[in-house]
Amino acid sequence: MKLAATLFFIFGAILLWGAIKYFLRLTSPGVYPPKQILKKRTFALAGGGGICLLIAVIITYFL
């Protein structure tokens, strides 16, 4: 179970890192792809990263 929790932590961190990257691109002017697409990608990555981190915490503390 430690391996699963570690993998979920790593995967969640990578997804959150990507969300931060897209958020920073969202704040800069004149970017491609359009801002609507960047917002969707940012929320999708942040949501996935949050869920992975939540699963990792559940595995770590409750199983």
Side-chain angles (χ1 to χ4, degrees), residues 6-39:
T6 304
L7 289 176
F8 274 111
F9 272 122
I10 292 171
F11 194 58
I14 290 171
L15 288 174
L16 289 176
W17 183 262
I20 290 169
K21 177 185 166 192
Y22 278 126
F23 179 74
L24 292 177
R25 286 182 66 190
L26 184 64
T27 58
S28 65
V31 295
Y32 184 82
K35 291 189 184 262
Q36 294 168 341
I37 294 173
L38 288 176
K39 282 182 186 178

